[in-house]
Amino acid sequence: MSAPSVENVVIVGTGCAGLTAAIYTGRANLSPLVLEGPLPGGQLTTTSEVENFPGFPEGVDGFQLMDNLRKQATKFGTRFEQALVTSVDFTSFPRKLIAGDRTILAKTVIIATGASPRMTGIPGEKELYGGKGVTTCATCDGAFYRKMDVAVIGGGDSAAEEALFLTRFASKVYLVHRRDALRASKIMADRATSHPKIQCVWDSVPVAVEGVKEGAVSGLRVKHVKTNAESVLPVKGIFVAIGHVPNTGPFAPALDTDEGGYFKPAQGSQIQTKIPGVYVAGDCADHVYRQAITAAGMGCAAAIEAERWLAEHHS
Ligand code: NAP
């Protein structure tokens, strides 16, 4: 059996960071291999309108934007393969990425695995996730709740955005937050709190999703944190919007991460890790900005660094 070939650049992830890195390394004639995970196109594919990506004064559909990036990457020779990386070995060269029974060898690696929605972990959430009433994406599932009451859990920009979006369909949207003020930016918070269809449920934490026996959400049990009084919001849909967890697990033993699980790049860099030729980009390494455009910028920087490193060490 012939030895597996060694890739110039392996990019893990197909969000804004990964695809931008692919466009740049593709244009540098490095023939990048992109490994595609469980959500091709990343988080933007679950967004409707992206209004703040520069160059689109009328806004752009999130799915369309990612499809365009993918076409652009393909045009410059990017190859895509579905592979879920489960572990890595960065102690030797070439670097090894393990995906099931496959080992992929690479001279340089750009990790752009993004972040996944954080879940509350309350009883019933897991059982009724998906088509049974618990979801993390109003854009994807909001239309199923026409003329019904729904709840959004969280107090950040995502929760405010989801709640506002849901007012297009739902009769009433409960916005359940554990404190008495939203974390969301003022403009989003004002829009949400003044919307006639949105009722804020302050100082309340979710305790259980009701309806497990019936196989569909019938309510959200919440507890007031000051009085400990429990009540059930009679909702058919529950939208969890309490932030994200970085997808760094399979790489964490080999690279440094912070207390939140985000990659911690080498000092003085945003993208360089402690392993030469291994870079991180996008939401898996950024808990501060977390924007499509900053992820794209990190992907670009990682690609340029990978190209320079290859030119210096392996030309
Ligand atoms: P976030 O800002 O981290 O907010 C998470 C919210 O969930 C917080 O209100 C937090 O409460 C609450 N929370 C966390 N864990 C919880 C738990 N276990 N139970 C109940 N509540 C919990 O996350 P995000 O809203 O996803 O936003 C992430 C970043 O993306 C932010 O920088 C945001 O500005 C940005 N973003 C921007 C836009 C936009 O500009 N249109 C849209 C979406 C997101 P506490 O407040 O008490 O901590």
Side-chain angles (χ1 to χ4, degrees):
M1 206 168 87
S2 62
S5 59
V6 180
E7 301 286 343
N8 287 319
V9 190
V10 170
I11 298 165
V12 191
T14 53
C16 265
L19 291 181
T20 304
I23 292 168
Y24 273 76
T25 49
R27 279 196 86 232
N29 271 342
L30 293 174
S31 185
L33 172 65
V34 173
L35 302 182
E36 202 158 23
L39 182 63
Q43 288 179 62
L44 274 194
T45 55
T46 64
T47 310
S48 52
E49 195 79 343
V50 182
E51 290 183 329
N52 51 10
F53 201 89
F56 297 93
E58 308 303 329
V60 57
D61 177 79
F63 186 86
Q64 189 62 55
L65 177 63
M66 298 318 296
D67 197 44
N68 287 350
L69 289 183
R70 194 187 174 98
K71 283 184 184 137
Q72 203 173 349
T74 305
K75 179 172 142 188
F76 296 117
T78 300
R79 292 160 300 133
F80 289 87
E81 282 181 25
Q82 283 206 332
L84 190 63
V85 174
T86 46
S87 64
V88 293
D89 180 358
F90 292 158
T91 57
S92 55
F93 193 87
R95 310 302 178 198
K96 288 193 187 80
L97 297 108
I98 319 298
D101 53 9
R102 256 182 92 190
T103 299
I104 299 149
L105 303 178
K107 294 177 190 167
T108 63
V109 181
I110 298 174
I111 305 166
T113 43
S116 299
R118 186 192 304 282
M119 302 306 287
T120 65
I122 59 175
E125 179 185 60
K126 206 169 170 185
E127 294 86 332
L128 297 177
Y129 185 77
K132 297 173 189 156
V134 179
T135 167
T136 55
C137 179
T139 313
C140 321
D141 300 328
F144 297 129
Y145 298 92
R146 219 171 276 278
K147 299 207 170 102
M148 295 180 203
D149 290 357
V150 298
V152 174
I153 303 170
D157 277 317
S158 298
E161 197 173 70
E162 299 272 283
L164 285 162
F165 183 78
L166 286 164
T167 60
R168 298 186 197 180
F169 313 101
S171 316
K172 182 174 192 169
V173 181
Y174 295 97
L175 184 51
V176 180
H177 185 34
R178 61 186 178 184
R179 295 186 292 119
D180 63 359
L182 296 181
R183 171 183 296 279
S185 54
K186 184 160 172 14
I187 185 167
M188 293 295 284
D190 287 349
R191 275 187 208 165
T193 52
S194 63
H195 197 288
K197 275 191 178 180
I198 297 178
Q199 181 181 327
C200 293
V201 183
W202 299 120
D203 294 315
S204 297
V205 289
V207 179
V209 176
E210 308 264 322
V212 175
K213 259 197 204 146
E214 299 75 26
V217 169
S218 60
L220 176 64
R221 180 171 289 276
V222 296
K223 184 172 87 175
H224 196 277
V225 291
K226 291 178 179 156
T227 63
N228 281 335
E230 289 194 9
S231 56
V232 176
L233 305 173
V235 295
K236 294 269 190 292
I238 297 171
F239 293 77
V240 183
I242 58 169
H244 289 83
V245 202
N247 300 321
T248 52
F251 311 92
L255 301 173
D256 292 337
T257 51
D258 67 14
E259 59 286 348
Y262 290 86
F263 286 125
K264 208 160 71 174
Q267 207 167 11
S269 170
Q270 261 201 313
I271 51 161
Q272 169 71 62
T273 70
K274 65 182 181 186
I275 309 289
V278 177
Y279 308 91
V280 290
D283 284 14
C284 60
D286 171 21
H287 58 89
V288 180
Y289 303 111
R290 296 184 284 196
Q291 301 298 303
I293 189 65
T294 49
M298 289 172 83
C300 161
I304 292 173
E305 289 300 330
E307 185 190 343
R308 287 183 182 160
W309 192 85
L310 282 168
E312 209 172 306
H313 299 273
H314 293 277
S315 57

